[in-house]
């Protein structure tokens, strides 16, 4: 499988690009590999890119048992990295996918104007996708009572991917090493509990996100979180401008699915607009759908 775009690197990189740093935030109990295509594309265009692993959030192959840290510690890790990058760069952009989008929102709430812009991919403020089981309503019992002590979430088909070839590759990866570019085979109750606490915090304080620009990319057929999540963002965010793009041929993991090239193009164009302090290329309403 390849998610690479043609090499867009240039011999000359505008100073505004060099002065812009991008932090990539992957999904829960996963690895930066989820955003490796985004990382490569941004670096080829001259951006300083930090694919941030977070202790107690990211999957750690060296640990036989994955242990979760408090969600506030996840945000503290991002805040420290944002501050370090701002010492060297004029602007900082956060890019998150799935739970990483919630992290990006939480970090923006915490950091205020120190975060200049967000790219939110497959944001799940509400788990209402077509493949979410009805038993999802009982999840709080597992998270906050002794009933869930031994419960684990196990990844299953379609693994967030519509492309059948990629889906088969993910299944092989999960069988052989318990982790793939779509995430971990198993997520423990501690990680899920801290993620739920993060989501509750983000939903309560969404209006405190004051970034100049936010781009949200979401699959129309996302099996985890429906496009109604874009409406939640559009209504709740306190950002300067908000643009959404609805992708027509993917499921949840849009960075490795059929629309991955469009995801790269949209992300690069947005990063350029942030770096150069320009508006989007076309006048856009607060909520716009662009179908692939």
């Amino acid at each position: 499988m390849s998610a690479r775009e043609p090499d867009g690197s240039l011999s000359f990189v505008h100073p505004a690009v060099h002065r812009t740093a991008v932090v990539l935030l992957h999904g829960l109990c996963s690895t930066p590999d989820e955003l490796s295509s985004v990382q490569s594309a941004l670096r080829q265009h001259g951006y300083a890119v930090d694919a941030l692993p977070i202790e107690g959030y990211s999957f750690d192959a060296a640990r036989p048992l994955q242990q979760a840290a408090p969600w506030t510690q996840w945000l503290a890790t991002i805040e420290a990295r944002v501050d370090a990058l701002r010492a060297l760069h004029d602007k900082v952009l956060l890019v998150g996918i799935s739970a990483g989008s919630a992290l990006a929102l939480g970090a923006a709430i915490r950091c205020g104007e120190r975060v200049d812009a967000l790219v939110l991919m497959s944001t799940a403020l509400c788990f209402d996708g077509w493949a979410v089981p009805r038993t999802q309503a009982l999840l709080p019992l597992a998270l906050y009572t002794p009933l869930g002590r031994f419960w684990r979430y196990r990844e299953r088909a379609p693994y967030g991917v519509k492309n059948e070839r990629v889906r088969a590759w993910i299944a092989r990866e999960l069988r052989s090493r318990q982790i793939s570019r779509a995430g971990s085979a198993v997520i423990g109750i501690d990680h899920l509990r801290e993620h739920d606490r993060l989501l509750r915090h983000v939903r309560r304080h969404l209006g405190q996100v004051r970034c100049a620009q936010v781009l949200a990319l979401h699959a129309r057929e996302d099996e985890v979180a429906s496009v109604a999540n874009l409406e939640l963002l559009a209504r709740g965010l306190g950002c300067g401008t908000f643009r959404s793009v609805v992708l027509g041929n993917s499921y949840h993991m849009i960075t490795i699915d059929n629309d991955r090239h469009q995801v790269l193009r949209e992300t690069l164009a947005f990063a350029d607009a942030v770096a150069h302090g320009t508006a989007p290329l076309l006048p856009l309403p607060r909520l716009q759908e662009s179908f692939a």
Side-chain angles (χ1 to χ4, degrees):
M1 185 201 72
S2 172
R4 298 182 58 187
E5 288 277 81
D7 189 351
S9 59
L10 301 174
S11 57
F12 170 76
V13 176
H14 195 282
V17 171
H18 279 310
R19 294 195 298 267
T20 302
V22 183
V23 180
L24 303 182
L25 302 169
H26 58 78
L28 182 66
C29 204
S30 188
T31 72
D33 284 351
E34 284 185 349
L35 291 164
S36 60
S37 59
V38 178
Q39 178 180 358
S40 296
L42 287 167
R43 282 185 172 166
Q44 286 176 10
H45 283 72
Y47 288 95
V49 185
D50 192 338
L52 183 63
I54 301 173
E55 185 175 356
Y57 172 84
S58 304
F59 181 87
D60 186 349
R63 290 179 178 267
L65 181 64
Q66 304 298 309
Q67 296 180 322
W71 66 271
T72 51
Q73 186 173 316
W74 302 346
L75 296 186
T77 299
I78 301 169
E79 181 181 27
R81 190 58 56 91
V82 167
D83 287 342
L85 290 169
R86 287 207 75 92
L88 302 171
H89 300 85
D90 293 344
K91 295 179 180 179
V92 175
L93 166 65
L94 304 184
V95 178
I97 186 168
S98 192
S101 289
L103 278 182
L105 289 165
I109 293 166
R110 184 178 181 122
C111 295
E113 294 181 356
R114 288 172 287 167
V115 171
D116 295 279
L118 304 175
V119 178
L120 307 174
M121 301 179 179
S122 305
T123 307
L125 297 178
C126 178
F127 293 96
D128 58 351
W130 57 264
V132 174
R134 293 181 180 178
T135 53
Q136 176 76 16
L138 301 176
L139 184 59
L141 290 176
L143 296 181
Y144 298 108
T145 74
L147 294 175
R149 269 185 307 177
F150 306 107
W151 186 79
R152 300 288 185 274
Y153 170 80
R154 296 187 179 277
E155 187 62 84
R156 61 185 186 274
Y159 309 114
V161 176
K162 187 174 185 178
N163 185 296
E164 293 184 3
R165 182 171 59 89
V166 178
R167 192 186 304 166
W169 170 74
I170 289 169
R172 291 193 298 270
E173 289 286 289
L174 292 178
R175 285 195 300 268
S176 63
R177 61 190 189 101
Q178 297 299 301
I179 188 72
S180 77
R181 284 179 63 182
S184 176
V186 178
I187 302 177
I189 195 71
D190 290 346
H191 279 86
L192 293 170
R193 184 185 301 113
E194 294 304 317
H195 178 239
D196 184 69
R197 289 169 173 162
L198 170 65
L199 283 177
R200 291 169 186 263
H201 169 76
V202 167
R203 288 194 294 258
R204 281 196 306 269
H205 301 285
L206 200 56
Q208 295 179 24
V209 176
R210 300 292 181 180
C211 298
Q213 298 183 62
V214 175
L215 170 66
L217 305 173
H218 208 98
R220 188 186 347 158
E221 297 180 83
D222 190 317
E223 84 283 9
V224 174
S226 79
V227 292
N229 282 270
L230 294 178
E231 293 286 354
L232 294 176
L233 291 171
R235 291 197 308 267
L237 287 172
C239 58
T241 61
F242 174 79
R243 180 188 177 217
S244 71
V245 177
V246 178
L247 307 166
N249 196 27
S250 296
Y251 290 165
H252 190 63
M253 296 306 300
I254 58 177
T255 54
I256 59 174
D257 210 347
N258 294 321
D259 296 306
R260 58 190 180 273
H261 297 305
Q262 183 181 356
V263 170
L264 297 184
R265 290 192 297 270
E266 295 282 357
T267 302
L268 285 170
F270 181 78
D272 286 345
V274 171
H276 295 284
T278 59
L281 295 180
L282 295 172
L284 295 165
R286 183 163 174 75
L287 183 62
Q288 170 170 314
E289 293 189 350
S290 173
F291 292 94

